């Protein structure tokens, strides 16, 4: 979690404070409602931009996953407020069943007005500040998956089993992510088969740059300190031991999952 003077804060709060600080430089301090309005506009544009720049093989890959595994449950786990369900101009949202957000404080533990969609707040006392790579947010995701599959697996509403109930009920959990520390190591520690998305240069992926100590190679939006980068790099190197499969193209994911299932 982010800290300011010892205080845990969300990415949303940090961004709003940054907007307010810049506004205060231009005129006398105002209430934070205006900063919140600017932030909300930024967030809408962020989702719109994500749709405009969606990797061309993203939708075909999701379509193939649904075709290969008709009963698959697909969820998104994010430390921030990015959500596939806010990306409605494309068909991306149609392929997700739930989203675990690091911040959606206004919805936990309520369902959004989408059939079968669950959003969890990382700001709620049950989650925040347990962001990735903390196992807490993954455990919440597993619980939400369990709630979704209960009526499918057993009409009585009960799934037998303890901590290993996924395996005991014939389920397989794959976590797919580009960050060695946050995605691969953390999810594997919870029992997932972790697939590392290490894309080709043509994709313009930024995850590799996030751990570079060379400031010139850091993404322009990064605020990570050298200490943060060193820590992330150490954890990331350790996480390499937990990689189940590595893909260089999103279109490679369905085959990577099938090959893994053959040996499980």
């Amino acid at each position: 979690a982010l800290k300011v003077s010892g205080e845990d804060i969300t990415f949303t709060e940090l961004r709003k404070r940054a907007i307010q600080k810049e506004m205060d430089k231009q005129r006398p301090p105002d209430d934070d409602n205006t900063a919140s309005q600017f932030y909300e506009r930024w967030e809408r544009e962020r989702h719109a931009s994500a749709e405009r720049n969606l990797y061309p093989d993203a939708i075909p890959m999701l379509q193939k996953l649904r075709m290969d595994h008709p009963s698959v449950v697909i969820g998104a786990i994010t430390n921030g407020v990015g959500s596939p369900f806010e990306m409605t101009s494309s068909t991306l949202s149609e392929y997700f069943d739930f989203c675990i957000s690091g911040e959606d404080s206004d919805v936990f533990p309520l369902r959004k007005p989408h059939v079968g969609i669950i959003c969890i707040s990382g700001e709620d006392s049950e989650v925040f500040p347990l962001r990735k790579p903390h196992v807490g947010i993954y455990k919440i995701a597993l619980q939400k998956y369990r709630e979704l599959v209960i009526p499918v697996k057993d009409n009585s509403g009960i799934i037998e089993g303890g901590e290993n109930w996924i395996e005991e009920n014939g389920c397989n959990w794959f976590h797919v992510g580009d960050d060695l520390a946050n995605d691969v190591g953390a999810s594997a520690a919870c029992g997932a088969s972790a697939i590392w998305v290490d894309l080709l240069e043509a994709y313009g992926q930024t995850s590799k740059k996030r751990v570079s100590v060379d400031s010139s190679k850091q993404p322009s939006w990064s605020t990570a300190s050298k200490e943060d980068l060193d820590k992330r790099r150490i954890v990331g190197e350790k996480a390499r031991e937990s990689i189940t499969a590595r893909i260089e193209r999103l279109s490679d994911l369905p085959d990577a999952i099938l090959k893994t299932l053959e040996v499980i």
Side-chain angles (χ1 to χ4, degrees):
L2 300 174
K3 291 182 179 292
V4 175
S5 301
E7 173 191 8
D8 288 323
I9 65 171
T10 65
F11 287 111
T12 296
E13 179 61 23
L14 179 66
R15 288 162 178 156
K16 287 182 179 179
R17 293 186 189 185
I19 293 172
Q20 188 67 56
K21 185 176 181 180
E22 291 302 311
M23 292 174 63
D24 292 345
K25 292 179 181 179
Q26 307 301 321
R27 56 181 176 75
D30 197 355
D31 63 62
D32 65 357
N33 289 329
T34 304
S36 295
Q37 292 169 1
F38 274 109
Y39 171 79
E40 288 168 4
R41 292 180 184 176
W42 173 84
E43 188 179 307
R44 287 196 297 271
E45 174 54 28
R46 183 191 189 192
H47 283 104
S49 177
E51 286 195 278
R52 292 194 299 269
N53 294 283
L54 196 65
Y55 292 141
D57 50 349
I59 299 297
M61 174 270 291
L62 290 166
Q63 290 173 334
K64 191 165 191 320
L65 282 178
R66 290 286 187 191
M67 187 182 304
D68 291 345
H69 314 281
S71 62
V72 67
V73 173
I74 301 177
I77 304 176
T78 172
N79 277 347
V81 292
S83 169
F85 302 123
E86 299 299 331
M87 299 169 65
T88 54
S89 296
S90 66
T91 58
L92 184 70
S93 61
E94 299 175 10
Y95 296 96
F96 285 82
D97 299 290
F98 68 92
C99 173
I100 306 297
S101 169
E103 301 193 9
D104 257 344
S105 59
D106 60 330
V107 297
F108 186 86
L110 305 176
R111 295 173 185 266
K112 277 195 172 183
H114 299 271
V115 177
I117 292 172
I118 298 177
C119 280
I120 303 302
S121 168
E123 293 187 2
D124 186 86
S125 59
E126 292 188 42
V127 184
F128 185 78
L130 308 182
R131 303 178 193 270
K132 295 187 289 186
H134 196 286
V135 298
I137 194 168
Y138 286 103
K139 289 182 177 180
I140 293 293
L142 285 175
Q143 180 57 35
K144 292 304 119 182
Y145 166 73
R146 187 170 185 167
E147 292 173 7
L148 281 172
V149 301
I150 280 176
V152 177
K153 296 291 289 185
D154 187 341
N155 290 332
S156 70
I158 298 174
I159 290 184
E160 299 295 336
E163 291 186 358
N164 298 320
W165 63 269
I166 289 184
E167 295 84 357
E168 293 169 2
N169 285 274
C171 303
N172 294 284
W173 173 26
F174 290 88
H175 182 75
V176 183
D178 64 356
D179 192 295
L180 282 169
N182 284 356
D183 292 310
V184 174
S187 65
C190 292
S193 294
I195 297 182
W196 183 31
V197 181
D198 186 26
L199 299 176
L200 297 171
E201 289 296 325
Y203 282 86
Q205 188 182 31
T206 63
S207 58
K208 293 179 182 178
K209 298 180 180 180
R210 294 180 215 152
V211 294
S212 174
V213 293
D214 184 347
S215 59
S216 66
K217 294 182 179 180
Q218 282 292 299
S220 59
W221 41 260
S222 176
T223 59
S225 66
K226 184 179 182 302
E227 181 183 0
D228 290 336
L229 292 173
D230 288 339
K231 184 182 299 183
R232 181 183 289 270
R233 187 166 54 257
I234 292 171
V235 175
E237 287 302 315
K238 177 66 175 176
R240 288 179 181 274
E241 302 171 4
S242 302
I243 297 173
T244 296
R246 171 179 168 271
I247 61 171
E248 294 184 328
R249 302 175 182 82
L250 291 184
S251 55
D252 293 338
L253 180 59
D255 285 344
I257 289 177
L258 286 175
K259 288 179 181 178
T260 303
L261 288 173
E262 290 175 0
V263 298
I264 290 180

